[in-house]
Amino acid sequence: MRLDPRARPRLVSIIPNLGARINEARDHGWLGEVDGLQTSLAAAAEKLTNLDRIITRAAPGRTDLGMPTLPTVGGR
């Protein structure tokens, strides 16, 4: 599944919200909730990393293709 770069602001806002919910769950002793929220936080962070990678690759710019090597003529 490919992420839409337009979803980045929403994903960025979700991450701190998950952190706040984890703190609240810890304060109340809801250990199962903490575990689930930590899983969601890790997934959101990974999605953000992947999305940033996609955005960086899609950015226009110069790409170095390297210097081609040519075969020698006559085996030299």
Side-chain angles (χ1 to χ4, degrees):
M1 184 175 184
R2 190 163 185 106
L3 296 170
D4 185 349
R6 294 176 295 181
R8 189 180 190 288
R10 176 74 176 126
L11 193 53
V12 168
S13 71
I14 287 171
I15 291 173
N17 181 273
L18 285 168
R21 290 175 58 197
I22 289 169
N23 290 335
E24 179 183 10
R26 276 193 186 123
D27 291 345
H28 287 87
W30 302 332
L31 302 182
E33 187 75 11
V34 169
D35 189 45
L37 289 168
Q38 286 175 329
T39 300
S40 296
L41 179 61
E46 184 178 353
K47 283 183 182 183
L48 183 59
T49 299
N50 291 336
L51 185 56
D52 286 343
R53 193 174 299 128
I54 290 167
I55 291 169
T56 300
R57 273 190 264 148
R62 194 171 121 187
T63 302
D64 183 8
L65 299 177
M67 180 61 81
T69 57
L70 303 174
T72 57
V73 178
R76 293 184 188 172

